[in-house]
Amino acid sequence: MVNTGATVALAAAAGEVPVVFASSADVYGTWRDVAVSEDTDPDPSTPYAVAKLEAEGALGERSTVLRVATVFGPAELVPRAIPSFIKAGLSGGTAVLHGGGRDVKDYVPLEAVADAFVAAAQAPGNGLRVFNIGSGVGRSTAEVLQAVARVLGTKLAADEVPSPRAPSRLVVSPERARAELGFDPDADFDAGLRAEAAWLDANRGRWG
């Protein structure tokens, strides 16, 4: 797979130089009743997650793996829940809520993720290290829709669309990254939404 092959090539080229690898919390699977730690056995269920886990295994012993949760923030133009909801609110449109909005994800601000990569690069350790990069808080898609409406100060209508798959739930514990990297996931979710909304509002020409 592309992720695995590229990582193998990178690890070989790096030699003894430490590598910080952007992995995904998806390696833990689609449903976990409680927040997962780095000691939780992976259970990837998608080709993407399988490739990320295989890529982790190709890294050298001095490398660092960051298993990143669902990132959000300014400049996000992909068709994911948060930017889609914000764009619907800004344009007076209708949001689409799949599967009743029951999926629960761990949303982490882009700026906090960037800080985690810098910290990991500046603090190499001995042996392969793995860190969860997330907020430690689970929010359903329906709760995210309500939060976006609250931040925009508007009523946001939603069309509910059936989902072909079962609901998912995945929240990560960031405590190891907090202790060893000084990672701060910034618990002010609404502030993160406001920042993304401001960027999308100022850049309507890129999505309108």
Side-chain angles (χ1 to χ4, degrees):
M1 293 184 181
V2 174
N3 269 321
T4 307
T7 304
V8 170
L10 174 63
E16 294 300 313
V17 177
V19 172
V20 179
F21 177 63
S23 187
S24 169
D26 288 347
V27 301
Y28 295 114
T30 58
W31 187 278
R32 296 286 181 167
D33 291 326
V34 298
V36 295
S37 74
E38 294 84 353
D39 296 324
T40 301
D41 290 334
D43 185 24
S45 60
T46 65
Y48 170 79
V50 170
K52 283 295 189 182
L53 189 60
E54 290 178 351
E56 288 184 14
L59 296 171
E61 286 300 312
R62 295 180 62 203
S63 299
T64 301
V65 171
L66 302 186
R67 291 176 174 168
V68 184
T70 303
V71 185
F72 75 101
E76 185 177 19
L77 291 170
V78 294
R80 299 165 69 177
I82 288 178
S84 296
F85 293 165
I86 293 174
K87 286 186 282 187
L90 291 175
S91 63
T94 300
V96 177
L97 195 62
H98 294 275
R102 291 180 292 169
D103 289 342
V104 174
K105 295 183 179 182
D106 185 328
Y107 293 89
V108 57
L110 174 62
E111 184 176 355
V113 175
D115 289 344
F117 275 90
V118 172
Q122 293 178 340
N126 296 319
L128 180 65
R129 301 183 300 167
V130 179
F131 296 100
N132 288 335
I133 304 300
S135 69
V137 177
R139 292 179 172 87
S140 71
T141 312
E143 289 172 331
V144 170
L145 178 66
Q146 294 170 356
V148 169
R150 180 175 65 248
V151 164
L152 295 179
T154 186
K155 291 184 178 180
L156 189 51
D159 285 338
E160 294 200 14
V161 177
S163 175
R165 58 170 177 76
S168 61
R169 185 186 192 283
L170 182 60
V171 181
V172 302
S173 169
E175 293 311 310
R176 180 184 293 179
R178 193 192 303 275
E180 298 186 28
L181 300 179
F183 173 63
D184 180 6
D186 188 355
D188 193 343
F189 183 62
D190 282 9
L193 293 181
R194 283 192 291 271
E196 181 161 353
W199 188 90
L200 286 168
D201 192 23
N203 289 271
R204 288 176 182 254
R206 300 182 63 176
W207 59 267

